[in-house]
Amino acid sequence: MRAKLSYAITAAVLVFYFVLVGSRGVMLIQSGTLITVTFGVAVLILPVIGLWFLWKNTEFVRKANRLAAELEAEGGLPVDELRRLPSGRIDRDSADEVFARRKAETEDAPHDWRSWFRLAVAYHDARDTPRARKAMQRAIALHDGKPVQA
């Protein structure tokens, strides 16, 4: 619940920022000179890109949470079996062991969204965020019945 609240607050702050920047872009355009209109249009592009990025990330998180809830209902969520260092951080060797098992599971069942979901968690635990995101995107696509590129 705390993560959702934090995400909502961050999103609200970003939307406020986008509105503020957008209003500055409109003010520049209303000035009417060639330079200010050019800058105003350029400034208006930034909030549009930001809103698109925020929307895409929100959709990704929503879909990943939906998969997590479904997997939890099936009793298939990965169990946290990772060893921790005294600092609380995940032991790298432990993460590598779990990752190897998850990767083998995914290779054995490449069309099962559940194995891709668990692989995404293993990538995340190994601090490989780009691959974690790609694995989760693949899990979402498989779950939704969309074609997946190899």
Side-chain angles (χ1 to χ4, degrees), residues 53-107:
F53 185 74
L54 181 62
W55 173 255
K56 293 302 279 185
N57 278 305
T58 302
E59 281 294 297
F60 174 78
V61 169
R62 188 185 60 77
K63 289 177 181 180
N65 285 339
R66 185 184 73 216
L67 264 60
E70 187 173 329
L71 203 53
E72 182 179 32
E74 295 174 358
L77 275 180
V79 177
D80 185 3
E81 53 191 311
L82 300 168
R83 292 184 304 277
R84 306 253 191 260
L85 300 173
S87 65
R89 296 184 79 175
I90 294 171
D91 177 58
R92 180 65 183 201
D93 292 336
S94 175
D96 288 344
E97 290 170 18
V98 172
F99 174 77
R101 285 198 316 266
R102 298 296 181 221
K103 186 174 181 191
E105 175 188 333
T106 304
E107 288 170 351

Side-chain angles (χ1 to χ4, degrees), residues 17-145:
Y17 172 75
F18 297 148
V19 168
L20 187 66
V21 169
S23 69
R24 297 303 183 252
V26 169
M27 286 174 31
L28 285 167
I29 291 171
Q30 288 174 340
S31 295
T33 68
L34 179 61
I35 291 177
T36 60
V37 169
T38 304
F39 280 141
V41 169
V43 166
L44 283 177
I45 291 172
L46 293 174
V48 170
I49 292 170
L51 285 170
W52 174 82
F53 185 74
L54 181 62
W55 173 255
K56 293 302 279 185
N57 278 305
T58 302
E59 281 294 297
F60 174 78
V61 169
R62 188 185 60 77
K63 289 177 181 180
N65 285 339
R66 185 184 73 216
L67 264 60
E70 187 173 329
L71 203 53
E72 182 179 32
E74 295 174 358
L77 275 180
V79 177
D80 185 3
E81 53 191 311
L82 300 168
R83 292 184 304 277
R84 306 253 191 260
L85 300 173
S87 65
R89 296 184 79 175
I90 294 171
D91 177 58
R92 180 65 183 201
D93 292 336
S94 175
D96 288 344
E97 290 170 18
V98 172
F99 174 77
R101 285 198 316 266
R102 298 296 181 221
K103 186 174 181 191
E105 175 188 333
T106 304
E107 288 170 351
D108 290 342
H111 300 294
D112 182 13
W113 67 266
R114 293 160 187 86
S115 63
W116 282 99
F117 183 96
R118 288 187 282 269
L119 181 63
V121 172
Y123 272 127
H124 181 270
D125 291 342
R127 293 192 183 96
D128 191 344
T129 305
R131 287 188 179 145
R133 189 170 182 88
K134 286 207 181 287
M136 187 60 73
Q137 287 169 338
R138 187 171 204 134
I140 291 167
L142 287 168
H143 181 269
D144 293 346

